Amino acid sequence: MTMPQAPDGPDGDDLTTIRVDHFLAHPPAKVWRALTEPELIAQWMMPGDFRLEVGHRYTMTAVPRPNTGFSGTIQAEVLAYEHERMLSVRWQDAAEGRRNAADWTITWTLEPEGRGTRLFLVHAGFDPDDPAQRMAHRIMGGGWRSSVMGALENVLEKS
């Protein structure tokens, strides 16, 4: 899968987008369940009232991160999905009146690979001109690649 790139930052990453390419030793149907069933999502990402329905708006809660301007509450919306193939959601910081608050699109794409699944994540919409958004990009880039993927793998092992 080839994805267009925006200008690179000092670490070689696109400052507007985080991209993750991760292999999971589980079939796409099992990975899809972990991405779309609220009780499983709560175990590896954040609790929320997710429902697989385009236009569904829901809330997720996490630990606030004042250094990035994150309130700890995300207002999310399902933008699109293709069963067992792709899920796209919008995340906005729920805090009212924050200048340059988060307004991101998270897209998961699943591709069968052998007996497992190649999972692609594209987290887009960071403002490279905003210091808090640059900090969020750096923190979330590492978080997606390490702790979140690790937590997802743990849930897949148990479910």
Side-chain angles (χ1 to χ4, degrees), residues 105-127:
T105 301
I106 316 294
T107 302
W108 302 92
T109 305
L110 293 74
E111 292 185 1
E113 183 173 310
R115 293 184 181 180
T117 303
R118 179 65 57 180
L119 182 63
F120 297 96
L121 164 76
V122 177
H123 181 161
F126 291 91
D127 179 356

Side-chain angles (χ1 to χ4, degrees), residues 1-28:
M1 168 179 273
T2 304
M3 298 182 197
Q5 296 287 318
D8 288 345
D11 61 359
D13 286 340
D14 173 350
L15 293 177
T16 66
T17 304
I18 296 167
R19 298 174 196 284
V20 178
D21 172 343
H22 190 83
F23 178 77
L24 297 162
H26 301 277

Side-chain angles (χ1 to χ4, degrees), residues 20-118:
V20 178
D21 172 343
H22 190 83
F23 178 77
L24 297 162
H26 301 277
K30 189 172 186 180
V31 175
W32 182 253
R33 283 186 50 238
L35 294 177
T36 60
E37 292 184 9
E39 61 279 359
L40 296 177
I41 296 168
Q43 293 175 41
W44 65 270
M45 190 166 45
M46 289 178 271
D49 53 337
F50 177 88
R51 187 170 65 237
L52 188 59
E53 176 183 303
V54 172
H56 174 65
R57 295 175 188 257
Y58 59 103
T59 302
M60 294 186 298
T61 54
V63 177
R65 297 267 185 181
N67 61 332
T68 65
F70 176 52
S71 71
T73 304
I74 295 171
Q75 296 293 337
E77 178 182 2
V78 177
L79 299 176
Y81 73 91
E82 295 174 41
H83 187 73
E84 295 185 10
R85 170 90 174 102
M86 181 275 296
L87 172 64
S88 184
V89 296
R90 182 178 187 188
W91 283 8
Q92 294 179 297
D93 194 308
E96 295 281 329
R98 287 218 174 150
R99 189 176 71 78
N100 293 337
D103 188 358
W104 299 317
T105 301
I106 316 294
T107 302
W108 302 92
T109 305
L110 293 74
E111 292 185 1
E113 183 173 310
R115 293 184 181 180
T117 303
R118 179 65 57 180

